[in-house]
Amino acid sequence: MPEMIYNAIAGPLRETFFQKALIGGSIAAIVCSVVGCLVILRRMAFLGDALSHAMIAGVAGGYLFMKILFNTEAHAPAMLLGSLIAALVTVASIGFVSRVSRVKDDTAIGIMYTGVFAAGVVLVSVFRGYIHIDLMHFIMGDVLGVADSDLWVAAISAGIVLSIIVLFFRQFQLTSFDPVMAASIGMPVALIDYALTTCVSLVVVSAVSMVGVILVVGLLITPAASAYLLSDRLDRMMLLAAVFGVTSVVGGLYLSMWLDSSGGGAIMLFCSFQFLVILAFAPNYGLLARWLRLKQAIPQQLLEDVLVEINRAGSKISLAALKAKIPDTKSRLEKALRKMTSDGLLQATGQTVSLTDSGFKEANRILRAHRLWEAYMSHVGLAANSEIHATAHRLEHVNDIESVEYLDDFLGHPIYDPHGSMIPQSAERCTIGGICCLSHLREGVSAEILEAPTDVHMKGLTPGVIIKVGSRSNNNSEWSVSTPDGSGLVLDHQSADSIKVKITAVSS
């Protein structure tokens, strides 16, 4: 058995074609993976696919150029130059179309690369007497049939591209994560983008002859995506991507030998399998880690329900009574109580829990949302009176400031909900020193006017004046206020909304 394993591993290494495939595939994998990190960070994955397909026109042009002018078959340098020109033409065309029309970048890529690819196919078919390209070999590649010239082209291209990335790493990094900041500090963002696109083009055209269109796109994207799941630093991500690219080539080539299958297909299969394993088990961004986080997480709805129930019980409740009111598992409820205690929202004393000042404010915020939702549903008739409370219990968890303040303003800043319970005021605005609109104030509150439109200046409501709010009238749609000289005024909702005040005193 050990001898069989040894032969299965060492046997292929004795073959020259396997050695060349390992060297050429590893070179292509390293440079593709490193460049691929920048590609996926910039969301340019489709561009690699476009360039790899479009370069058939360049290969055909190189063949035709060498045959017509020099009556000789094209060599690797001619095909490489033609492919690079085709790639750059494709990129320039994509940029032109997206810049001068309303067509977005992804649509422009789809249009232009299929057009250039089709032009290459037509060129090959029309001049089939001069051009000898195996389209299946071009698309699928033949990594087990790598020629010496392919190795030299790949090595030189990889050296150039990796040198550019090392020399300009900081520029590539900054423009990938924050192009606006890069432009603000004087970096030539457009030039850096073109440099990266040229690197991608060079990588693609140097690797396609060995591994084919499908595999070069896979090596450009999949190892980098695998590394992206494991690292938050670009330099470490590039190193991991290169490692994953090489392991994909090594594992895929051995797999192709053991199964007697296509080399390129086996490499991509191994690479995809490697990605799926990392996707499942990555410590921070993997599916297992996400499942564990979700399992351990405490739903925000449960936390808010606990606060509201304690508030309704008078800011203090026994654990037994709380568990009877909250329909949730015992373990999750206990975990929620521990979290809120550590967050400073609750205080536990024996078998009793009570709200802290912070917990009381948070509970009032949720209760305010609940009762405003009740008032809103009653106002627009979205639910029957018997269903209002249950529906509002679900909607109270939509309690962000923008939504709640919109409801409050839409309803004219109501004081009571449909059941006659008082709606808590905004803890952020309606406290001493808080700045808000006069319409937010309730009876007994005194405030200093900060801003007021000119049409109310005539009524004595000018900045600096201290006013006291009286009772509401006309179905709570009008505000009565009094000034220090004893005069009284009545303001409608629009006028009360237009006056900004600073609260100086709140009635007990």
Side-chain angles (χ1 to χ4, degrees):
M1 188 68 177
E3 186 178 351
M4 290 179 59
I5 296 175
Y6 173 78
N7 289 332
I9 296 175
L13 287 173
R14 300 189 188 99
E15 303 294 338
T16 303
F17 72 90
F18 190 83
Q19 296 170 3
K20 289 184 178 181
L22 274 178
I23 296 171
S26 297
I27 292 172
I30 290 172
V31 69
C32 282
S33 301
V34 171
V35 174
C37 293
L38 296 173
V39 168
I40 68 168
L41 287 176
R42 290 165 173 252
R43 301 182 180 180
M44 294 168 55
F46 196 25
L47 181 61
D49 186 37
L51 295 177
S52 60
H53 281 81
M55 63 170 287
I56 189 175
V59 173
Y63 257 99
L64 196 61
F65 177 81
M66 296 298 292
K67 191 68 176 179
I68 292 176
L69 292 186
F70 302 102
N71 195 29
T72 179
E73 296 291 334
H75 298 289
M79 289 186 291
L80 178 64
L81 182 60
S83 300
L84 189 58
I85 292 172
L88 294 177
V89 168
T90 303
V91 171
S93 302
I94 292 168
F96 175 76
V97 171
S98 61
R99 190 168 54 251
V100 302
S101 70
R102 63 181 300 184
V103 173
K104 303 297 182 184
D105 285 348
D106 56 343
T107 306
I109 290 173
I111 294 170
M112 299 313 301
Y113 101 75
T114 51
V116 177
F117 179 71
V121 172
V122 170
L123 201 63
V124 170
S125 61
V126 171
F127 296 97
R128 53 186 173 273
Y130 299 101
I131 302 173
H132 308 293
I133 299 177
D134 183 358
L135 289 179
M136 183 58 68
H137 170 76
F138 177 80
I139 294 173
M140 299 302 297
D142 185 12
V143 71
L144 294 174
V146 175
D148 291 343
S149 59
D150 293 329
L151 290 177
W152 280 109
V153 169
I156 294 171
S157 301
I160 294 172
V161 171
L162 293 177
S163 297
I164 292 173
I165 291 177
V166 170
L167 290 173
F168 300 100
F169 176 80
R170 180 174 173 272
Q171 287 81 356
F172 284 130
Q173 183 181 35
L174 189 55
T175 53
S176 296
F177 286 103
D178 196 342
V180 175
M181 179 181 176
S184 67
I185 63 176
M187 282 190 182
V189 176
L191 184 61
I192 295 170
D193 287 343
Y194 282 121
L196 177 60
T197 304
T198 303
C199 288
V200 175
S201 304
L202 194 59
V203 167
V204 169
V205 299
S206 63
V208 162
S209 61
M210 291 190 298
V211 296
V213 168
I214 294 176
L215 186 56
V216 77
V217 175
L219 289 177
L220 195 65
I221 304 304
T222 311
S226 300
Y228 190 48
L229 294 173
L230 295 173
S231 177
D232 293 321
R233 291 177 56 89
L234 181 56
D235 51 354
R236 192 177 303 160
M237 178 182 170
M238 287 180 169
L239 180 61
L240 286 173
V243 171
F244 292 143
V246 173
T247 55
S248 298
V249 170
V250 174
L253 286 175
Y254 272 108
L255 189 64
S256 71
M257 295 298 291
W258 296 337
L259 300 179
D260 191 23
S261 66
S262 163
I267 290 173
M268 201 60 245
L269 180 63
F270 191 92
C271 190
S272 300
F273 174 75
Q274 184 175 249
F275 169 78
L276 292 176
V277 171
I278 294 171
L279 175 64
F281 299 106
N284 293 323
Y285 304 111
L287 297 178
L288 181 60
R290 180 175 180 271
W291 178 77
L292 290 174
R293 282 197 301 270
L294 290 175
K295 186 178 180 180
Q296 295 172 358
I298 305 169
Q300 182 66 21
Q301 181 174 339
L302 174 59
L303 300 176
E304 294 179 353
D305 285 346
V306 170
L307 289 173
V308 171
E309 289 299 336
I310 299 175
N311 192 25
R312 285 176 176 156
S315 297
K316 182 184 294 186
I317 192 171
S318 68
L319 288 175
L322 181 62
K323 291 174 182 177
K325 290 179 176 293
I326 302 293
D328 210 299
T329 62
K330 178 182 177 181
S331 62
R332 197 157 66 165
L333 179 57
E334 290 176 349
K335 191 184 297 183
L337 292 175
R338 286 195 300 270
K339 183 181 188 308
M340 286 189 286
T341 301
S342 66
D343 291 344
L345 300 176
L346 297 182
Q347 183 176 359
T349 306
Q351 294 298 307
T352 302
V353 289
S354 57
L355 295 174
T356 63
D357 290 341
S358 298
F360 181 75
K361 290 179 181 178
E362 183 67 13
N364 261 359
R365 186 179 67 82
I366 301 162
L367 189 60
R368 170 175 162 81
H370 177 96
R371 290 176 177 172
L372 281 171
W373 278 113
E374 286 187 330
Y376 175 77
M377 286 185 290
S378 177
H379 178 79
V380 299
L382 287 178
N385 287 333
S386 59
E387 301 173 353
I388 282 179
H389 179 76
T391 307
H393 178 68
R394 295 193 296 271
L395 290 172
E396 70 185 21
H397 304 292
V398 182
N399 52 43
D400 58 281
I401 294 176
E402 291 79 8
S403 300
V404 172
E405 294 308 320
Y406 171 80
L407 289 177
D408 187 44
D409 187 65
F410 176 80
L411 296 169
H413 310 286
I415 299 174
Y416 299 98
D417 71 3
H419 307 295
S421 300
M422 182 171 286
I423 299 173
Q425 290 185 281
S426 170
E428 293 82 11
R429 295 178 174 177
C430 300
T431 55
I432 294 178
I435 296 175
C436 60
C437 296
L438 190 150
S439 57
H440 291 99
L441 305 184
R442 294 183 181 176
E443 185 176 0
V445 177
S446 298
E448 177 189 354
I449 295 178
L450 300 179
E451 296 178 12
T454 54
D455 61 331
V456 299
H457 286 184
M458 298 288 292
K459 303 175 182 179
L461 300 181
T462 58
V465 170
I466 303 295
I467 54 98
K468 186 172 183 179
V469 180
S471 59
R472 298 264 196 101
S473 59
N474 193 15
N475 197 24
N476 286 324
S477 64
E478 293 180 340
W479 283 253
S480 60
V481 297
S482 59
T483 57
D485 61 5
S487 60
L489 300 169
V490 176
L491 303 171
D492 60 16
H493 185 194
Q494 183 177 356
S495 298
D497 261 347
S498 66
I499 301 172
K500 184 177 290 187
V501 298
K502 181 179 180 180
I503 298 175
T504 57
V506 178
S507 61
S508 57

